[in-house]
Amino acid sequence: MAYDLITMGRIGVDLYPLQTGVPLPQVTSFGKFLGGSATNVAVAAARLGRGTAVITRTGDDPFGTYLHEALQGFGVDDRWVTPVAGLPTPVTFCEVFPPDDFPLYFYRQPKAPDLEIDAHELDLDAIREASVFWVTGTGLSEEPSRTATLAALAHRAKAGTTVFDLDWRPMFWKDPESARPFYEEALRHTTVAVGNLDEVEVATGVREPREAAQALLDAGVELAVVKQGPKGVLAVDGKGNEAEVPPLPVNVLNGLGAGDAFGGSLVHGLLAGWDLEKIMRHANAAGAIVASRLECSSAMPTTDEIESAVAAGAVK
């Protein structure tokens, strides 16, 4: 079976406050959700009807069991989600201060199981046969995940669509300079790069959106997607096509899952063969819908919800 999408990277349990505008020390109730960027992208694409799977690892504990159950409930194949003895499943807390302040607190000590993905355990044939393969910058931050990620990319050899989510998380690295050589190596094997302004600067040393997009194309990708925050998103491909789309108006509740919803819709649009502007408009709408909701994975929108938001020009 060839999947529409296989993602590889972070997984964990999101414990999000059920009270907004309250500092974490004063929060008294939390909701428990499936989390992790690569995993949420697989969930988002599955919600849009795509056949998806995720390659990752959990602790051998009740939270790990919960993540398997959640993946199965979302229709994401969990056959490559394996336990690591002795390491706890990560949990992530956040604070919710709409519209633009959502501090994250990662509990991934002594080491996150998803950084224990081993190259020798990968199903390289399945990775090569998938229509889209998605990796993240966090997967490059430590061994053996770094070697596994680069080995998977090298084996795939740009077959189909290979997406590198730049996913810069400074707490997982010594500094940007230590990350850049690994980002550059990953870019050589990918066809699509996706990142915000901070992330493209880490990858290329350039922050101006068009210059950064060109730097990503020069690094070897065929499509560069640069998220510009309130200025929207810029997409440029190697054929000279360009789309710059403004964000949809939305009352933000929690912006943390918006990028993953964007990613799942991006994958869906690429698989559907849409033009760049349509892909970006739908991906923007998907992200805006999730930003209007508290949770991430269970908030991923359906096709009808995205199309309604695009038609309305806003999330209502």
Side-chain angles (χ1 to χ4, degrees):
M1 170 186 175
Y3 293 87
D4 291 324
L5 168 67
I6 295 176
T7 69
M8 179 174 170
R10 199 164 67 244
I11 195 171
V13 177
D14 287 345
L15 295 174
Y16 284 0
L18 299 181
Q19 300 148 281
T20 62
V22 178
L24 204 54
Q26 280 75 56
V27 172
T28 58
S29 57
F30 297 84
K32 174 167 61 73
F33 308 103
L34 171 72
S37 62
T39 304
N40 280 337
V41 170
V43 170
R47 186 65 59 88
L48 298 175
R50 298 298 179 176
T52 71
V54 60
I55 301 168
T56 190
R57 306 197 73 181
T58 71
D60 188 8
D61 55 24
F63 273 151
T65 301
Y66 161 71
L67 294 176
H68 278 278
E69 293 173 351
L71 286 168
Q72 293 163 12
F74 289 127
V76 177
D77 196 321
D78 63 343
R79 70 182 62 194
W80 297 305
V81 182
T82 58
V84 179
L87 291 180
T89 297
V91 297
T92 302
F93 291 89
C94 78
E95 294 175 302
V96 180
F97 297 105
D100 58 3
D101 187 19
F102 309 101
L104 275 172
Y105 303 91
F106 292 99
Y107 288 77
R108 292 166 61 85
Q109 293 83 22
K111 185 179 184 181
D114 55 61
L115 293 174
E116 286 290 317
I117 300 171
D118 193 290
H120 299 95
E121 298 173 356
L122 296 175
D123 188 336
L124 293 174
D125 290 339
I127 288 171
R128 187 174 178 86
E129 291 168 5
S131 297
V132 181
F133 180 52
W134 180 290
V135 300
T136 75
T138 296
L140 299 172
S141 64
E142 287 193 45
E143 294 289 6
S145 173
R146 178 186 298 150
T147 293
T149 300
L150 294 174
L153 290 172
H155 183 82
R156 184 166 168 86
K158 293 191 175 183
T161 298
T162 306
V163 184
F164 180 23
D165 175 4
L166 302 179
D167 183 42
W168 168 248
R169 303 285 179 173
M171 67 285 294
F172 300 156
W173 294 87
K174 179 181 177 183
D175 53 52
E177 286 70 30
S178 66
R180 189 164 295 138
F182 303 113
Y183 274 58
E184 290 172 349
E185 176 66 18
L187 287 169
R188 284 195 283 272
H189 298 290
T190 54
T191 62
V192 180
V194 183
N196 61 31
L197 295 177
D198 291 336
E199 291 166 341
V200 298
E201 185 175 19
V202 169
T204 68
V206 180
R207 188 173 183 86
E208 196 283 323
R210 277 178 173 75
E211 292 180 6
Q214 187 58 54
L216 291 168
L217 294 172
D218 292 343
V221 306
E222 298 167 11
L223 172 62
V225 179
V226 181
K227 302 174 187 176
Q228 306 175 84
K231 292 185 177 180
V233 61
L234 171 68
V236 183
D237 70 19
K239 299 177 182 178
N241 299 309
E242 179 180 311
E244 188 166 18
V245 176
L248 257 65
V250 59
N251 291 321
V252 175
L253 176 59
N254 183 358
L256 292 175
D260 303 331
F262 181 101
S265 183
L266 169 67
V267 168
H268 179 64
L270 290 170
L271 289 170
W274 295 343
D275 63 61
L276 268 186
E277 182 168 345
K278 182 175 181 179
I279 292 172
M280 293 302 114
R281 287 195 182 280
H282 280 69
N284 257 0
I289 289 168
V290 172
S292 73
R293 300 169 175 174
L294 173 64
E295 65 273 24
C296 295
S297 52
S298 55
M300 296 302 170
T302 64
T303 299
D304 287 347
E305 288 174 324
I306 295 172
E307 290 179 350
S308 294
V310 171
V315 176
K316 297 182 178 180

